[in-house]
Amino acid sequence: MLTREENELLVRTGPGTPMGSFMRRYWVPALFSEALPEPDCAPVRVKLLGEKLVAFRDSSGRVGLFDERCPHRNASMFFGRNEENGLRCVYHGWKFDLEGNCVDMPSEPPESNFKRKVKIEAYPCVERGGIVWTYMGPPEQKPEVPDFQWAEVPASHRFATRHIQECNWFQAFEGGFDVSHLAFLHKGDTPDGGIRTLPKYYETATTDYGFVSGSGRDLEAGKTAWGANIMAVPFHKIIARPGDVPIGVHAWVPIDDENCMIYSIEYRPHRPLNDEEMEASREWRYIHAETEPGGDHCLRNLANDFMIDRELQKSGKSYTGLKGFGIQDCGIQESMGPISDRTREQLGTSDIHIIQLRKFMLKTLKDFMAGVTPPGLKADMYRVRSAAFVLEKGETFAKHAPERVRLDVPAMAK
Ligand code: FES
Ligand SMILES: [Fe+2]
């Protein structure tokens, strides 16, 4: 349970809010690179952290991201002409370059220097891993771009989708660290038939990028098998999965306070993904969710009750009657309301990771508001991945996990 004030701190990400200011200290995924396929192609609307923006690829192939409103009289830059290294508003012809400088103001007399005084709000962008990332914070505090392994591998090694979830970002983020739901919500859809036993141990270890969360199950006497998930600020997760399978990744990026964009990625560090291991994902049975053609809205959504199949639910083959992990998560998290009222919850012992996630975020946020440097500002802090390993009796998760998930620790030693 949280107080109303704590809940508000976690869920609000608009300009000027504490969480909004915190998130604006990081590079955030804005759109797929392929949405801007070539120089001078059509601009694309983007909404991030409550701000309406427009992305475009200029004549030189570089990506720009502007406030949607033209600084002249607020016309939408989405309708603009993308030409000769700039985006030109079609209302009165004002043109802006990638940095937001007004480079042409044909509606004013030629001798006027008014254009030198006008700028459009522009955010810097970089492209990594097939995604355009942007930085919306104070220019002098721009951090390094996170060095995620999934963003470095060749495109053939990676499969990425995104979909809109119609609820607050933190609700979806919490869902990613809710360990006990795996044995229920997804039952019937995991490769092992979903017969996952509940973990016996729940631990976390704080790191310089966030934390590692572990769930442990007893093996033979004196040994514990751990799955270690990564939580990386401000909204990333690397998923621990048993067996030799691609690594799964999520980023829950706030669109506004009642919608988030979920990026879902699977990758192999050292080889291309093959058809066999992609089958479940292509059929929308794993973490991805099927969207309308060319769009980000889920085909199965709250308006059609996520196309729940009551017969399938009754048959026991699927616990929910909802198709695939992605829609099961999306559906049940949206069912909690656009912004879940955490003042009326009753949490049990198996909710420990949710409690730890909230504690971490609230403490990090309060420290940030007090002037403490936030975590995760260096690229190489993100050189980690999820892991599964066995610890002997007497070895603690908190001591070993942070090292075991580092990419620079040889696999043999993990
Ligand atoms: S509103 Fe854009 S140029 Fe006038
Ligand atoms: Fe889930």
Side-chain angles (χ1 to χ4, degrees):
M1 195 182 111
L2 292 180
T3 64
R4 198 163 300 283
E5 293 69 34
E6 288 170 328
N7 204 23
E8 287 292 297
L9 268 182
L10 292 171
V11 302
R12 303 289 171 199
T13 63
T17 60
M19 184 63 89
S21 304
F22 176 72
M23 279 196 185
R24 283 169 176 76
R25 293 294 305 276
Y26 301 92
W27 289 91
V28 297
L31 70 165
F32 283 131
S33 289
E34 66 188 21
L36 300 169
E38 59 193 25
D40 290 337
C41 62
V44 171
R45 287 191 183 95
V46 174
K47 195 170 181 195
L48 276 179
L49 314 185
E51 296 187 38
K52 287 181 160 183
L53 308 166
V54 167
F56 69 105
R57 192 179 293 280
D58 75 2
S59 314
S60 307
R62 301 166 302 178
V63 176
L65 190 64
F66 287 174
D67 182 354
E68 184 180 347
R69 291 161 306 171
C70 174
H72 179 210
R73 287 183 50 224
N74 296 329
S76 171
M77 296 299 289
F78 171 75
F79 299 102
R81 298 177 60 87
N82 186 5
E83 55 189 18
E84 292 163 0
N85 279 325
L87 192 61
R88 189 186 293 279
C89 176
V90 291
Y91 204 174
H92 312 94
W94 292 18
K95 180 180 172 185
F96 303 89
D97 69 9
L98 211 69
E99 281 83 40
N101 304 306
C102 185
V103 291
D104 194 17
M105 196 180 266
S107 59
E108 290 294 300
E111 65 277 13
S112 163
N113 69 353
F114 184 34
K115 77 173 182 195
R116 289 200 203 100
K117 298 180 185 151
V118 174
K119 278 200 94 166
I120 191 166
E121 181 88 57
Y123 296 130
C125 296
V126 295
E127 293 183 80
R128 292 279 168 90
I131 286 176
V132 175
W133 302 66
T134 191
Y135 174 71
M136 300 164 72
E140 70 284 1
Q141 290 179 315
K142 197 161 69 182
E144 294 175 8
V145 182
D147 206 355
F148 282 115
Q149 189 181 39
W150 64 261
E152 275 173 21
V153 298
S156 58
H157 296 33
R158 178 176 59 232
F159 177 71
T161 64
R162 69 175 202 172
H163 65 273
I164 293 172
Q165 183 163 320
E166 295 176 46
C167 72
N168 182 260
W169 79 280
F170 198 71
Q171 214 154 304
F173 195 36
E174 283 179 329
F177 291 88
D178 181 324
V179 181
S180 60
H181 87 284
L182 293 169
F184 303 97
L185 186 77
H186 301 315
K187 204 168 176 175
D189 280 284
T190 48
D192 57 6
I195 322 295
R196 281 201 201 172
T197 52
L198 284 170
K200 186 167 175 192
Y201 312 105
Y202 301 93
E203 300 271 344
T204 54
T206 303
T207 62
D208 54 8
Y209 53 82
F211 60 77
V212 192
S213 75
S215 42
R217 293 168 173 85
D218 281 332
L219 287 177
E220 71 261 38
K223 290 183 195 290
T224 304
W226 288 96
N229 291 282
I230 303 293
M231 181 286 205
V233 286
F235 40 52
H236 303 278
K237 184 195 175 191
I238 309 176
I239 306 166
R241 297 173 70 193
D244 180 23
V245 290
I247 300 172
V249 173
H250 280 306
W252 290 274
V253 186
I255 295 172
D256 53 33
D257 291 343
E258 297 193 353
N259 296 275
C260 62
M261 185 69 78
I262 306 184
Y263 289 82
S264 304
I265 297 144
E266 286 177 86
Y267 76 100
R268 282 280 190 186
H270 306 300
R271 68 161 171 81
L273 296 164
N274 63 39
D275 281 349
E276 200 183 329
E277 59 203 9
M278 288 311 303
E279 192 187 320
S281 292
R282 293 212 179 95
E283 291 176 7
W284 313 107
R285 287 184 286 111
Y286 184 44
I287 54 174
H288 312 273
E290 189 173 10
T291 53
E292 65 197 0
D296 298 311
H297 287 280
C298 293
L299 278 181
R300 294 168 173 77
N301 53 56
L302 200 53
N304 58 28
D305 291 327
F306 303 93
M307 300 188 193
I308 186 168
D309 181 340
R310 293 289 187 184
E311 286 305 311
L312 183 64
Q313 188 182 39
K314 204 166 233 168
S315 75
K317 287 189 199 129
S318 158
Y319 196 69
T320 55
L322 304 178
K323 187 181 175 184
F325 279 34
I327 284 300
Q328 289 157 8
D329 285 325
C330 193
I332 213 65
Q333 289 158 16
E334 286 186 20
S335 81
M336 299 155 77
I339 298 178
S340 182
D341 180 0
R342 294 177 178 80
T343 64
R344 64 188 296 281
E345 295 173 332
Q346 304 185 66
L347 302 185
T349 48
S350 65
D351 295 309
I352 185 89
H353 281 163
I354 302 285
I355 295 165
Q356 284 163 335
L357 174 64
R358 292 176 185 178
K359 270 195 184 152
F360 175 87
M361 289 305 278
L362 284 169
K363 177 172 189 313
T364 304
L365 205 52
K366 281 173 187 162
D367 286 350
F368 170 70
M369 288 156 70
V372 175
T373 304
L377 299 183
K378 293 265 181 271
D380 65 0
M381 291 173 177
Y382 295 84
R383 295 199 54 72
V384 290
R385 66 166 175 79
S386 52
F389 48 85
V390 174
L391 293 180
E392 307 277 342
K393 195 176 181 142
E395 295 179 319
T396 61
F397 178 83
K399 178 159 179 257
H400 293 276
E403 193 203 322
R404 300 263 181 149
V405 298
R406 294 289 318 170
L407 286 174
D408 41 26
V409 175
M412 294 297 285
K414 285 179 191 282

